[in-house]
Short mmCIF file of all heavy atoms in Angstrom, two decimals:
data_model
loop_
_atom_site.label_atom_id
_atom_site.label_comp_id
_atom_site.label_asym_id
_atom_site.label_seq_id
_atom_site.Cartn_x
_atom_site.Cartn_y
_atom_site.Cartn_z
N MET A 74 2.11 -2.91 -11.70
CA MET A 74 2.20 -1.48 -11.38
C MET A 74 3.19 -0.84 -12.36
O MET A 74 4.30 -1.37 -12.55
CB MET A 74 2.66 -1.31 -9.93
CG MET A 74 1.70 -1.96 -8.94
SD MET A 74 2.19 -1.75 -7.20
CE MET A 74 3.55 -2.89 -7.07
N HIS A 75 2.78 0.31 -12.94
CA HIS A 75 3.56 0.90 -14.03
C HIS A 75 3.74 2.40 -13.89
O HIS A 75 2.88 3.09 -13.35
CB HIS A 75 2.83 0.68 -15.36
CG HIS A 75 2.53 -0.74 -15.67
ND1 HIS A 75 3.35 -1.50 -16.44
CD2 HIS A 75 1.49 -1.54 -15.31
CE1 HIS A 75 2.83 -2.72 -16.55
NE2 HIS A 75 1.71 -2.77 -15.86
N THR A 76 4.85 2.88 -14.45
CA THR A 76 5.06 4.29 -14.78
C THR A 76 5.61 4.28 -16.19
O THR A 76 6.65 3.66 -16.45
CB THR A 76 6.09 4.95 -13.84
OG1 THR A 76 5.58 4.94 -12.51
CG2 THR A 76 6.36 6.39 -14.26
N ASP A 77 4.90 4.93 -17.10
CA ASP A 77 5.38 5.02 -18.48
C ASP A 77 4.72 6.22 -19.16
O ASP A 77 4.15 7.08 -18.49
CB ASP A 77 5.15 3.72 -19.24
CG ASP A 77 3.69 3.28 -19.32
OD1 ASP A 77 2.78 4.14 -19.22
OD2 ASP A 77 3.44 2.07 -19.49
N ALA A 78 4.76 6.26 -20.47
CA ALA A 78 4.20 7.38 -21.22
C ALA A 78 2.70 7.55 -20.97
O ALA A 78 2.14 8.63 -21.16
CB ALA A 78 4.46 7.21 -22.71
N ASN A 79 2.05 6.49 -20.52
CA ASN A 79 0.61 6.55 -20.22
C ASN A 79 0.34 7.02 -18.79
O ASN A 79 -0.81 7.13 -18.40
CB ASN A 79 -0.03 5.17 -20.43
CG ASN A 79 0.02 4.74 -21.87
OD1 ASN A 79 -0.24 5.53 -22.77
ND2 ASN A 79 0.39 3.49 -22.10
N GLY A 80 1.38 7.25 -17.99
CA GLY A 80 1.21 7.73 -16.62
C GLY A 80 1.59 6.67 -15.61
O GLY A 80 2.39 5.79 -15.87
N ASN A 81 0.98 6.78 -14.42
CA ASN A 81 1.18 5.83 -13.32
C ASN A 81 -0.13 5.07 -13.17
O ASN A 81 -1.18 5.69 -13.00
CB ASN A 81 1.49 6.59 -12.03
CG ASN A 81 2.77 7.39 -12.14
OD1 ASN A 81 3.86 6.83 -12.13
ND2 ASN A 81 2.65 8.70 -12.25
N TYR A 82 -0.06 3.73 -13.19
CA TYR A 82 -1.31 2.98 -13.16
C TYR A 82 -1.12 1.54 -12.73
O TYR A 82 -0.02 0.98 -12.78
CB TYR A 82 -2.00 3.02 -14.53
CG TYR A 82 -1.16 2.46 -15.66
CD1 TYR A 82 -1.29 1.14 -16.06
CD2 TYR A 82 -0.24 3.26 -16.33
CE1 TYR A 82 -0.52 0.63 -17.09
CE2 TYR A 82 0.53 2.77 -17.35
CZ TYR A 82 0.39 1.44 -17.74
OH TYR A 82 1.16 0.93 -18.76
N PHE A 83 -2.24 0.95 -12.25
CA PHE A 83 -2.35 -0.47 -11.97
C PHE A 83 -3.00 -1.11 -13.19
O PHE A 83 -3.87 -0.52 -13.83
CB PHE A 83 -3.28 -0.72 -10.78
CG PHE A 83 -2.77 -0.21 -9.46
CD1 PHE A 83 -3.27 0.96 -8.91
CD2 PHE A 83 -1.79 -0.92 -8.76
CE1 PHE A 83 -2.81 1.42 -7.68
CE2 PHE A 83 -1.34 -0.47 -7.53
CZ PHE A 83 -1.84 0.71 -6.99
N LYS A 84 -2.60 -2.35 -13.50
CA LYS A 84 -3.22 -3.06 -14.62
C LYS A 84 -3.49 -4.49 -14.19
O LYS A 84 -2.53 -5.21 -13.90
CB LYS A 84 -2.30 -3.02 -15.83
CG LYS A 84 -2.90 -3.65 -17.05
CD LYS A 84 -1.99 -3.48 -18.24
CE LYS A 84 -2.62 -4.11 -19.46
NZ LYS A 84 -1.73 -3.99 -20.60
N PRO A 85 -4.75 -4.91 -14.09
CA PRO A 85 -5.96 -4.10 -14.22
C PRO A 85 -6.15 -3.25 -12.97
O PRO A 85 -5.63 -3.57 -11.91
CB PRO A 85 -7.07 -5.15 -14.33
CG PRO A 85 -6.55 -6.31 -13.55
CD PRO A 85 -5.06 -6.31 -13.75
N LYS A 86 -6.90 -2.19 -13.13
CA LYS A 86 -7.14 -1.32 -11.97
C LYS A 86 -8.39 -1.74 -11.21
O LYS A 86 -8.47 -1.58 -10.01
CB LYS A 86 -7.19 0.15 -12.37
CG LYS A 86 -8.41 0.57 -13.15
CD LYS A 86 -8.36 2.04 -13.51
CE LYS A 86 -9.58 2.73 -13.00
NZ LYS A 86 -9.51 4.15 -13.01
N ASP A 87 -9.38 -2.24 -11.90
CA ASP A 87 -10.62 -2.73 -11.28
C ASP A 87 -10.77 -4.20 -11.62
O ASP A 87 -10.65 -4.59 -12.80
CB ASP A 87 -11.84 -1.95 -11.81
CG ASP A 87 -11.75 -0.46 -11.53
OD1 ASP A 87 -11.28 -0.07 -10.46
OD2 ASP A 87 -12.14 0.33 -12.42
N PHE A 88 -11.03 -5.04 -10.62
CA PHE A 88 -11.14 -6.47 -10.86
C PHE A 88 -11.92 -7.14 -9.73
O PHE A 88 -12.18 -6.52 -8.70
CB PHE A 88 -9.75 -7.10 -11.03
CG PHE A 88 -8.82 -6.85 -9.88
CD1 PHE A 88 -8.69 -7.77 -8.85
CD2 PHE A 88 -8.08 -5.68 -9.83
CE1 PHE A 88 -7.84 -7.52 -7.79
CE2 PHE A 88 -7.21 -5.43 -8.77
CZ PHE A 88 -7.10 -6.35 -7.74
N THR A 89 -12.26 -8.40 -9.95
CA THR A 89 -13.03 -9.18 -8.98
C THR A 89 -12.19 -10.37 -8.51
O THR A 89 -11.53 -11.02 -9.32
CB THR A 89 -14.34 -9.68 -9.61
OG1 THR A 89 -15.10 -8.54 -10.05
CG2 THR A 89 -15.17 -10.49 -8.63
N VAL A 90 -12.23 -10.62 -7.20
CA VAL A 90 -11.55 -11.77 -6.60
C VAL A 90 -12.53 -12.46 -5.66
O VAL A 90 -13.62 -11.96 -5.41
CB VAL A 90 -10.28 -11.35 -5.83
CG1 VAL A 90 -9.24 -10.76 -6.76
CG2 VAL A 90 -10.62 -10.38 -4.70
N HIS A 91 -12.12 -13.60 -5.15
CA HIS A 91 -12.94 -14.34 -4.19
C HIS A 91 -12.19 -14.44 -2.87
O HIS A 91 -10.96 -14.43 -2.83
CB HIS A 91 -13.26 -15.73 -4.72
CG HIS A 91 -14.16 -15.69 -5.91
ND1 HIS A 91 -13.70 -15.62 -7.20
CD2 HIS A 91 -15.52 -15.68 -5.98
CE1 HIS A 91 -14.73 -15.57 -8.03
NE2 HIS A 91 -15.85 -15.61 -7.32
N GLN A 92 -12.96 -14.55 -1.79
CA GLN A 92 -12.34 -14.76 -0.48
C GLN A 92 -11.43 -15.98 -0.58
O GLN A 92 -11.78 -16.98 -1.22
CB GLN A 92 -13.40 -14.99 0.58
CG GLN A 92 -14.20 -13.76 0.92
CD GLN A 92 -15.31 -14.06 1.91
OE1 GLN A 92 -16.04 -15.03 1.77
NE2 GLN A 92 -15.43 -13.22 2.93
N GLY A 93 -10.24 -15.86 0.02
CA GLY A 93 -9.27 -16.95 -0.02
C GLY A 93 -8.26 -16.83 -1.14
O GLY A 93 -7.25 -17.54 -1.14
#
Side-chain angles (χ1 to χ4, degrees):
M74 300 181 286
H75 304 265
T76 296
D77 59 25
N79 295 317
N81 298 286
Y82 58 95
F83 293 104
K84 184 175 181 182
K86 71 181 236 166
D87 300 322
F88 55 95
T89 301
V90 296
H91 293 90
Q92 289 176 314

